[in-house]
Amino acid sequence: MLRALRHVAHAQGMQEVAAHAGLRRESLSRAHSPKGNPTLETLLAVLSAAGLRLAVAQREEHPA
């Protein structure tokens, strides 16, 4: 998921996504590097800046 988000940020422009997310471009690049470990807050900010959202849904099958 992190790799896909990095591709979205690059496609939309790292500087622009970082600005909309309230981050410095360097911080965004570091968070999305192969060894990056962004916080949930950072992840949600970047998703929002890219026009995306994270959703959690209940599985159709429930374990017994």
Side-chain angles (χ1 to χ4, degrees):
M1 184 169 142
L2 185 58
R3 186 179 302 156
L5 188 57
R6 183 173 57 236
H7 287 292
V8 169
H10 277 285
Q12 293 189 3
M14 292 290 279
Q15 184 67 38
E16 188 171 333
V17 171
H20 286 294
L23 302 168
R24 292 181 23 239
R25 189 196 56 76
E26 296 81 11
S27 298
L28 179 61
S29 294
R30 189 171 36 255
H32 291 108
S33 71
K35 292 186 178 184
N37 188 16
T39 64
L40 181 58
E41 182 180 6
T42 300
L43 176 64
L44 294 175
V46 172
L47 285 171
S48 179
L52 303 170
R53 66 184 169 111
L54 181 65
V56 177
Q58 187 174 12
R59 295 186 315 186
E60 290 184 27
E61 297 179 18
H62 298 280

